[in-house]
């Protein structure tokens, strides 16, 4: 991830430093999920984590620093895109993961998205995380092209992925609708059909 704090040059610290970081970030996630950005304070995080507040201020400086490190930590997770053997199956599995993260209560994913609107630091870090995740998931489209599922070899993977996942965020975050167990598959199937019809084909002038 980019935009790390100046004081976190060691991205994977060990020993006591690692334990403190884990305690503090767990506290940030809990506080954010329970109270949202408005209720997130350095003192509250220190108390929940059982860490002296001077330690929290020294390492993370402010709430924005805490949010950035929480997002950075999400990017460090060894997550791999689904591999079910078909593009439809992969996108459905990906959508199911997204839906689960949005419907759990309290939803840390939604709380973090909301917090990014209040912190420029967090917004930049979250944008980078999204970009990294989309880049990581482009392999789903690459495999589909290799399998011959997509007749158009030059398919805009990013646009296809956004089209497949956007309905989940629209329904659950924007409309705050009840979760539809069939939506992950329907959204995936619609995106695959559109891709097969060439909706996400990269024009020559774009690929040049």
């Amino acid at each position: 991830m980019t935009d790390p704090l100046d004081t976190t040059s060691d991205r994977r610290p060990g020993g006591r430093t690692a334990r403190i970081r884990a305690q503090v970030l767990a506290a940030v996630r809990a506080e954010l999920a329970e109270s949202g950005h408005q209720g997130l304070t350095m003192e509250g995080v220190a108390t929940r984590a059982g860490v002296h507040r001077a330690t929290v201020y020294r390492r993370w400086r402010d709430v924005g620093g805490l949010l950035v490190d929480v997002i950075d930590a999400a990017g460090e997770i060894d997550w791999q895109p689904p591999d079910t053997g078909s593009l439809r199956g992969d996108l459905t599995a990906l959508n199911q993961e997204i839906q689960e993260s949005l419907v759990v209560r309290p939803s840390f994913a939604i709380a973090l998205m909301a917090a990014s609107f209040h912190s420029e630091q967090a917004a930049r870090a979250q944008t980078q995380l999204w970009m990294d995740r989309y880049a990581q998931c482009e392999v789903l489209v690459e495999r589909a092209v290799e399998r011959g599922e997509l007749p158009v070899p030059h398919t805009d993977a990013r646009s296809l992925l956004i089209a497949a996942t956007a309905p989940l965020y629209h329904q659950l975050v924007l409309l705050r609708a009840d979760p539809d167990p069939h939506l992950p598959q329907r959204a995936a199937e619609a995106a695959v059909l559109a891709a097969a019809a060439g909706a996400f084909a990269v024009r020559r002038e774009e690929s040049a």
Side-chain angles (χ1 to χ4, degrees):
M1 294 291 291
T2 60
D3 196 18
L5 297 178
D6 294 340
T7 53
T8 56
S9 56
D10 185 358
R11 295 298 304 283
R12 295 184 181 278
R16 180 174 180 276
T17 301
R19 289 195 299 274
I20 290 176
R21 185 189 185 217
Q23 290 171 221
V24 169
L25 296 190
V28 173
R29 287 188 284 267
E31 291 280 308
L32 194 60
E34 290 180 7
S35 308
H37 176 267
Q38 299 301 326
L40 186 65
T41 66
M42 302 292 278
E43 291 75 11
V45 168
T47 298
R48 183 184 283 264
V51 175
H52 197 285
R53 65 178 184 178
T55 300
V56 178
Y57 275 103
R58 183 171 59 252
R59 181 179 172 89
W60 288 276
R61 300 182 183 177
D62 55 25
V63 167
L66 288 170
L67 291 170
V68 168
D69 204 17
V70 163
I71 296 169
D72 279 357
E76 294 167 5
I77 295 173
D78 186 21
W79 177 85
Q80 296 297 321
D83 187 0
T84 66
S86 73
L87 181 59
R88 179 180 283 100
D90 289 348
L91 293 175
T92 297
L94 180 63
N95 278 348
Q96 287 171 337
E97 288 188 36
I98 292 172
Q99 179 155 284
E100 288 172 6
S101 74
L102 297 176
V103 301
V104 65
R105 292 292 181 267
S107 172
F108 170 69
I110 291 178
L112 194 57
M113 280 186 270
S116 70
F117 286 97
H118 300 276
S119 167
E120 185 177 344
Q121 288 175 280
R124 288 197 302 267
Q126 183 157 269
T127 295
Q128 186 61 53
L129 178 61
W130 280 100
M131 296 293 285
D132 290 346
R133 282 288 188 255
Y134 275 122
Q136 194 174 3
C137 288
E138 287 180 6
V139 68
L140 305 186
V141 179
E142 293 169 4
R143 291 196 301 243
V145 171
E146 292 172 357
R147 288 191 296 258
E149 293 181 78
L150 299 178
V152 182
H154 300 294
T155 297
D156 186 337
R158 184 70 53 86
S159 295
L160 195 166
L161 289 164
I162 290 174
T165 58
L168 279 296
Y169 294 100
H170 188 91
Q171 287 289 96
L172 298 172
V173 179
L174 298 182
L175 295 181
R176 299 177 182 273
D178 292 332
D180 179 351
H182 304 294
L183 181 58
Q185 182 175 341
R186 284 206 312 269
E189 290 176 345
V192 171
L193 289 173
F200 307 111
V202 179
R203 296 191 297 271
R204 289 184 179 179
E205 58 268 26
E206 294 177 344
S207 59

